[in-house]
Amino acid sequence: MILTVTLNTALDITYRVPSLRPYASHRVSAVTERPGGKGVNVARVLAALGHEVTVTGFAGGTTGRILRDRLTEVPGVVDALVPVSGTTRRTVAVVDERSGGTTQLNEPGPTVAHAEWSAFQELYGDLLASVSAVALCGSLPPGVPVGAYAGLVRTARAAGVPVLLDTSGAALRRGVAGRPDILKPNAEELAELTGFHEPSRAAQDARRRGAGTVVASLGPEGLLAVSPEGRWRAAPPSRLRGNPTGAGDAVVAGLLSALVEHRPWPDRLTRAAALSAATVLSPTAGDFDRPAYERLLSGITVTGEASAAQVSP
């Protein structure tokens, strides 16, 4: 079982319009609505790959009830969300069908009370006893301490469970000090954390700050991994046109999937890069195109080398 944590879950709403124009009225050609938040998206991909996944975090209000109802429709995903008195946020993505671009609007999320946070921490500790890996994903809702992820990382490590952290801003700066086994920022988040814009140097600095392995999403250029075991880059065979929404979450799913299968780092990166690219190619934001994924597995180029002393992450 893999555990994904989404403290700031969301109901993801996607509008498709023929052409998005500022200050204009638009006729929406299609609407989709699905449970979301980064860890929920990760869980959906993991389940599609055949893994059993438990989702935890917070959900509340009418939006939270809709989210949990929709979550029951995802085979292989177990709902362990903690109820809160506030209302789960919505995220709205507007897809411009002419350009393929997406405009995203993200609500802040409900304020989490101290008792609700304590209830989550207790449940989280219990869940760790039966999982093989955990992903801590996304933003922190109001009321949750800024150092929350550092504490959750330490709790997982104390339980002997490998932990991946995927967040940004202050939550990332504080969270890396907990020493996550894998840190998964994008290039912008990595530069903000370290002050370095050259990815390899920034990744090495993030390791100095506490991350065991850093896997950075570099957009069309693929992935960079800097690990005690070595350094590698993984890239798709060509630049891809499509919707990148959820591509980073697919990377997390690929890394966790290959981690629990004890795959070496080049295999982990191949799977993660193929899933990310297949997500960009999917007609539905946050899903991956399975035939494209199968094709891309043999088309991903991985370069780099192992270190002289092999150390597991």
Side-chain angles (χ1 to χ4, degrees), residues 4-302:
T4 70
V5 175
T6 313
L7 297 177
N8 209 6
T9 57
L11 185 65
D12 289 345
I13 301 167
T14 301
Y15 296 131
R16 301 186 71 88
V17 298
S19 176
L20 182 61
R21 305 180 308 281
Y23 315 114
S25 296
H26 297 77
R27 186 174 298 278
V28 176
S29 58
V31 181
T32 58
E33 187 177 83
R34 64 193 307 172
K38 292 181 71 65
V40 174
N41 296 336
V42 171
R44 185 184 297 109
V45 176
L46 284 168
L49 292 173
H51 294 276
E52 294 183 348
V53 193
T54 295
V55 170
T56 191
F58 298 109
T62 301
T63 311
R65 287 193 295 274
I66 296 171
L67 184 151
R68 299 186 81 165
D69 286 345
R70 295 293 175 85
L71 206 54
T72 63
E73 301 169 3
V74 184
V77 174
V78 175
D79 176 357
L81 294 167
V82 175
V84 292
S85 58
T87 298
T88 295
R89 68 189 177 126
R90 297 162 298 178
T91 66
V92 179
V94 183
V95 178
D96 183 327
E97 294 177 327
R98 182 182 62 180
S99 69
T102 301
T103 299
Q104 191 86 15
L105 302 173
N106 297 329
E107 296 179 356
T111 298
V112 176
H114 177 74
E116 293 165 342
W117 174 235
S118 296
F120 168 79
Q121 290 176 287
E122 182 176 354
L123 175 63
Y124 175 73
D126 292 341
L127 290 170
L128 288 174
S130 59
V131 302
S132 54
V134 58
L136 306 174
C137 303
S139 61
L140 299 176
V144 172
V146 69
Y149 279 138
L152 296 179
V153 168
R154 293 187 183 106
T155 301
R157 288 178 59 83
V161 178
V163 56
L164 181 152
L165 177 62
D166 181 12
T167 187
S168 60
L172 173 58
R173 291 194 299 273
R174 295 287 294 274
V176 71
R179 307 187 70 81
D181 296 277
I182 303 173
L183 189 70
K184 209 297 294 173
N186 61 31
E188 181 180 347
E189 292 161 349
L190 186 59
E192 182 182 359
L193 171 67
T194 65
F196 299 118
H197 291 274
E198 198 286 309
S200 293
R201 185 177 182 186
Q204 190 59 51
D205 184 77
R207 291 198 63 238
R208 181 185 62 80
R209 293 169 185 264
T213 293
V214 176
V215 180
S217 295
L218 305 180
E221 297 178 17
L223 303 174
L224 165 70
V226 178
S227 165
E229 294 183 82
R231 299 186 182 200
W232 295 273
R233 283 183 179 262
S238 61
R239 284 181 173 261
L240 303 172
R241 178 182 172 84
N243 186 351
T245 303
D249 303 330
V251 169
V252 173
L255 293 174
L256 284 180
S257 173
L259 168 66
V260 300
E261 295 173 14
H262 308 291
R263 302 272 185 166
W265 269 108
D267 288 357
R268 298 184 198 182
L269 293 177
T270 296
R271 182 176 298 181
L275 280 169
S276 178
T279 299
V280 172
L281 295 173
S282 172
T284 303
D287 279 338
F288 70 94
D289 183 318
R290 186 172 289 275
Y293 167 64
E294 301 291 345
R295 292 195 305 271
L296 285 160
L297 280 173
S298 60
I300 299 296
T301 300
V302 179

